[in-house]
Amino acid sequence: MQVKKRTLYIICPIIVVVLICSYITYSDYERKKAEERDKLELKISFERDCEREYQSLIREYQSIVDVIKDRDYSDRFRFKYVTKLNDILGIHQYEISSGYYSTIQNCIRDLSINEDEDKEILRQKAYQNTYAKWIE
């Protein structure tokens, strides 16, 4: 079987165009796939950093709560930790009155009620802190 010259002039450019289009399509697909993979890795890294920050805040929160509940410390010292607790939460979650003893007792009473809410506040704060670090 012989191939005519005219047929080659038609077939060869068609093959070249198909190969070029295939290459462009494949490289575009690979680029998009790489971008998605990078976004996923970035998201996983951000979530990991948020979780690490959250665990750090929880440890600090728990140590403050332990000091507040520990009767071996003076009322004045424990009162300072109630203010620290409000500072770590970023809001005045626990009422601070003029008396040390009443402030501490109200805080201890409210801790059992607000524990889940406190942890949610700390989770949001962890996301905010991590986001601020990532922006820098």
Side-chain angles (χ1 to χ4, degrees):
M1 175 177 165
Q2 287 185 346
V3 179
K4 294 182 182 177
K5 214 176 189 184
R6 183 170 178 227
T7 306
L8 282 176
Y9 285 139
I10 294 172
I11 300 273
C12 285
I14 291 174
I15 291 174
V16 168
V17 168
V18 167
L19 287 174
I20 290 172
C21 289
S22 299
Y23 175 75
I24 290 171
T25 304
Y26 180 74
S27 63
D28 189 46
Y29 169 76
E30 281 296 315
R31 183 182 52 79
K32 286 181 182 178
K33 191 174 178 181
E35 286 175 1
E36 288 177 13
R37 186 175 49 247
D38 290 344
K39 286 179 185 177
L40 182 63
E41 288 175 4
L42 195 60
K43 180 181 175 187
I44 290 170
S45 178
F46 179 76
E47 288 173 354
R48 190 178 321 118
D49 288 351
C50 286
E51 188 61 30
R52 192 175 311 129
E53 178 73 17
Y54 174 68
Q55 292 303 323
S56 172
L57 288 172
I58 287 292
R59 281 190 300 275
E60 186 176 355
Y61 170 83
Q62 196 58 47
S63 70
I64 290 171
V65 168
D66 290 344
V67 169
I68 291 171
K69 290 181 177 180
D70 191 352
R71 295 188 185 275
D72 291 339
Y73 296 110
S74 69
D75 287 345
R76 182 179 220 154
F77 184 74
R78 292 164 57 196
F79 178 82
K80 289 179 184 177
Y81 271 79
V82 173
T83 59
K84 272 189 178 182
L85 183 60
N86 281 334
D87 289 343
I88 191 176
L89 293 172
I91 59 172
H92 292 293
Q93 181 82 354
Y94 299 98
E95 180 183 340
I96 296 178
S97 61
S98 59
Y100 297 142
Y101 184 76
S102 62
T103 299
I104 293 167
Q105 293 309 311
N106 290 340
C107 180
I108 291 172
R109 183 194 65 223
D110 293 343
L111 276 170
S112 60
I113 298 169
N114 297 334
E115 186 174 359
D116 292 335
E117 186 179 337
D118 290 350
K119 288 183 178 180
E120 185 58 36
I121 291 170
L122 290 176
R123 182 167 296 283
Q124 291 172 2
K125 190 169 182 179
Y127 276 105
Q128 290 171 351
N129 292 347
T130 304
Y131 183 73
K133 288 177 187 174
W134 276 53
I135 295 291
E136 295 175 349

Short mmCIF file of all heavy atoms in Angstrom, two decimals, residues 14-35:
data_model
loop_
_atom_site.label_atom_id
_atom_site.label_comp_id
_atom_site.label_asym_id
_atom_site.label_seq_id
_atom_site.Cartn_x
_atom_site.Cartn_y
_atom_site.Cartn_z
N ILE A 14 -2.70 17.32 10.99
CA ILE A 14 -3.77 16.92 11.90
C ILE A 14 -3.19 16.22 13.13
O ILE A 14 -3.57 16.51 14.26
CB ILE A 14 -4.81 16.04 11.18
CG1 ILE A 14 -5.59 16.88 10.16
CG2 ILE A 14 -5.77 15.41 12.18
CD1 ILE A 14 -6.54 16.08 9.29
N ILE A 15 -2.25 15.33 12.92
CA ILE A 15 -1.60 14.61 14.03
C ILE A 15 -0.85 15.59 14.93
O ILE A 15 -0.93 15.51 16.16
CB ILE A 15 -0.68 13.50 13.49
CG1 ILE A 15 -1.52 12.39 12.86
CG2 ILE A 15 0.21 12.95 14.59
CD1 ILE A 15 -0.71 11.31 12.17
N VAL A 16 -0.15 16.54 14.31
CA VAL A 16 0.61 17.52 15.08
C VAL A 16 -0.35 18.38 15.92
O VAL A 16 -0.10 18.63 17.11
CB VAL A 16 1.47 18.39 14.15
CG1 VAL A 16 2.03 19.59 14.89
CG2 VAL A 16 2.60 17.57 13.55
N VAL A 17 -1.44 18.82 15.33
CA VAL A 17 -2.42 19.63 16.06
C VAL A 17 -3.03 18.83 17.21
O VAL A 17 -3.19 19.34 18.33
CB VAL A 17 -3.51 20.16 15.09
CG1 VAL A 17 -4.69 20.75 15.86
CG2 VAL A 17 -2.93 21.18 14.14
N VAL A 18 -3.37 17.57 16.96
CA VAL A 18 -3.93 16.72 18.02
C VAL A 18 -2.91 16.54 19.15
O VAL A 18 -3.28 16.61 20.34
CB VAL A 18 -4.39 15.37 17.44
CG1 VAL A 18 -4.68 14.37 18.55
CG2 VAL A 18 -5.60 15.55 16.56
N LEU A 19 -1.66 16.31 18.83
CA LEU A 19 -0.63 16.15 19.85
C LEU A 19 -0.44 17.43 20.67
O LEU A 19 -0.32 17.39 21.90
CB LEU A 19 0.70 15.73 19.21
CG LEU A 19 0.77 14.30 18.70
CD1 LEU A 19 2.09 14.07 17.96
CD2 LEU A 19 0.62 13.32 19.83
N ILE A 20 -0.43 18.58 20.00
CA ILE A 20 -0.27 19.85 20.70
C ILE A 20 -1.46 20.09 21.63
O ILE A 20 -1.29 20.48 22.79
CB ILE A 20 -0.08 21.01 19.70
CG1 ILE A 20 1.29 20.89 19.04
CG2 ILE A 20 -0.20 22.36 20.40
CD1 ILE A 20 1.51 21.86 17.90
N CYS A 21 -2.66 19.86 21.13
CA CYS A 21 -3.86 20.04 21.96
C CYS A 21 -3.86 19.09 23.15
O CYS A 21 -4.23 19.47 24.26
CB CYS A 21 -5.13 19.84 21.12
SG CYS A 21 -5.43 21.16 19.94
N SER A 22 -3.44 17.87 22.92
CA SER A 22 -3.37 16.89 24.01
C SER A 22 -2.36 17.32 25.07
O SER A 22 -2.64 17.23 26.28
CB SER A 22 -2.97 15.51 23.47
OG SER A 22 -3.91 15.05 22.56
N TYR A 23 -1.22 17.82 24.64
CA TYR A 23 -0.20 18.28 25.58
C TYR A 23 -0.71 19.46 26.40
O TYR A 23 -0.53 19.51 27.62
CB TYR A 23 1.09 18.66 24.83
CG TYR A 23 2.13 19.24 25.73
CD1 TYR A 23 2.86 18.43 26.59
CD2 TYR A 23 2.35 20.62 25.77
CE1 TYR A 23 3.80 18.96 27.46
CE2 TYR A 23 3.29 21.16 26.62
CZ TYR A 23 4.01 20.33 27.46
OH TYR A 23 4.94 20.86 28.30
N ILE A 24 -1.35 20.42 25.76
CA ILE A 24 -1.88 21.59 26.45
C ILE A 24 -2.95 21.18 27.46
O ILE A 24 -2.95 21.64 28.60
CB ILE A 24 -2.42 22.61 25.43
CG1 ILE A 24 -1.27 23.23 24.65
CG2 ILE A 24 -3.22 23.70 26.15
CD1 ILE A 24 -1.71 24.09 23.49
N THR A 25 -3.83 20.30 27.05
CA THR A 25 -4.89 19.84 27.94
C THR A 25 -4.32 19.10 29.14
O THR A 25 -4.72 19.32 30.28
CB THR A 25 -5.87 18.93 27.17
OG1 THR A 25 -6.39 19.63 26.05
CG2 THR A 25 -7.01 18.48 28.05
N TYR A 26 -3.37 18.22 28.90
CA TYR A 26 -2.76 17.45 29.98
C TYR A 26 -1.99 18.35 30.95
O TYR A 26 -2.09 18.19 32.17
CB TYR A 26 -1.83 16.37 29.42
CG TYR A 26 -1.18 15.54 30.47
CD1 TYR A 26 -1.90 14.58 31.17
CD2 TYR A 26 0.16 15.74 30.81
CE1 TYR A 26 -1.31 13.83 32.17
CE2 TYR A 26 0.76 14.99 31.81
CZ TYR A 26 0.02 14.04 32.47
OH TYR A 26 0.60 13.30 33.46
N SER A 27 -1.23 19.31 30.43
CA SER A 27 -0.46 20.20 31.31
C SER A 27 -1.40 21.09 32.13
O SER A 27 -1.13 21.36 33.31
CB SER A 27 0.52 21.05 30.53
OG SER A 27 -0.16 21.90 29.63
N ASP A 28 -2.52 21.52 31.54
CA ASP A 28 -3.50 22.30 32.28
C ASP A 28 -4.13 21.46 33.39
O ASP A 28 -4.31 21.93 34.52
CB ASP A 28 -4.58 22.82 31.33
CG ASP A 28 -5.51 23.81 32.00
OD1 ASP A 28 -5.01 24.72 32.68
OD2 ASP A 28 -6.74 23.66 31.83
N TYR A 29 -4.44 20.22 33.10
CA TYR A 29 -4.99 19.29 34.08
C TYR A 29 -4.00 19.08 35.23
O TYR A 29 -4.38 19.13 36.41
CB TYR A 29 -5.34 17.96 33.41
CG TYR A 29 -5.66 16.85 34.37
CD1 TYR A 29 -6.87 16.80 35.03
CD2 TYR A 29 -4.72 15.85 34.64
CE1 TYR A 29 -7.16 15.78 35.93
CE2 TYR A 29 -4.99 14.83 35.52
CZ TYR A 29 -6.21 14.80 36.16
OH TYR A 29 -6.48 13.80 37.04
N GLU A 30 -2.75 18.86 34.92
CA GLU A 30 -1.72 18.66 35.95
C GLU A 30 -1.54 19.91 36.81
O GLU A 30 -1.36 19.82 38.02
CB GLU A 30 -0.39 18.27 35.30
CG GLU A 30 -0.31 16.83 34.89
CD GLU A 30 -0.40 15.88 36.06
OE1 GLU A 30 0.27 16.11 37.10
OE2 GLU A 30 -1.15 14.90 35.95
N ARG A 31 -1.59 21.08 36.19
CA ARG A 31 -1.44 22.33 36.94
C ARG A 31 -2.60 22.50 37.93
O ARG A 31 -2.39 22.82 39.09
CB ARG A 31 -1.39 23.51 35.97
CG ARG A 31 -1.17 24.85 36.66
CD ARG A 31 -1.17 26.02 35.67
NE ARG A 31 -2.33 26.05 34.80
CZ ARG A 31 -3.54 26.49 35.13
NH1 ARG A 31 -3.75 26.94 36.35
NH2 ARG A 31 -4.53 26.49 34.26
N LYS A 32 -3.82 22.25 37.47
CA LYS A 32 -4.98 22.37 38.36
C LYS A 32 -4.92 21.35 39.49
O LYS A 32 -5.25 21.64 40.64
CB LYS A 32 -6.28 22.19 37.57
CG LYS A 32 -6.61 23.38 36.71
CD LYS A 32 -7.90 23.17 35.96
CE LYS A 32 -8.20 24.37 35.07
NZ LYS A 32 -9.42 24.19 34.28
N LYS A 33 -4.48 20.14 39.15
CA LYS A 33 -4.36 19.10 40.17
C LYS A 33 -3.30 19.50 41.21
O LYS A 33 -3.51 19.30 42.42
CB LYS A 33 -3.98 17.79 39.49
CG LYS A 33 -4.07 16.58 40.37
CD LYS A 33 -3.81 15.33 39.56
CE LYS A 33 -3.84 14.12 40.42
NZ LYS A 33 -3.57 12.89 39.67
N ALA A 34 -2.20 20.07 40.78
CA ALA A 34 -1.15 20.52 41.70
C ALA A 34 -1.66 21.66 42.59
O ALA A 34 -1.36 21.70 43.79
CB ALA A 34 0.09 20.95 40.93
N GLU A 35 -2.44 22.58 42.01
CA GLU A 35 -3.00 23.67 42.80
C GLU A 35 -3.95 23.14 43.87
O GLU A 35 -3.92 23.60 45.02
CB GLU A 35 -3.74 24.66 41.90
CG GLU A 35 -2.84 25.54 41.07
CD GLU A 35 -3.62 26.43 40.10
OE1 GLU A 35 -4.87 26.36 40.09
OE2 GLU A 35 -2.97 27.19 39.37
#
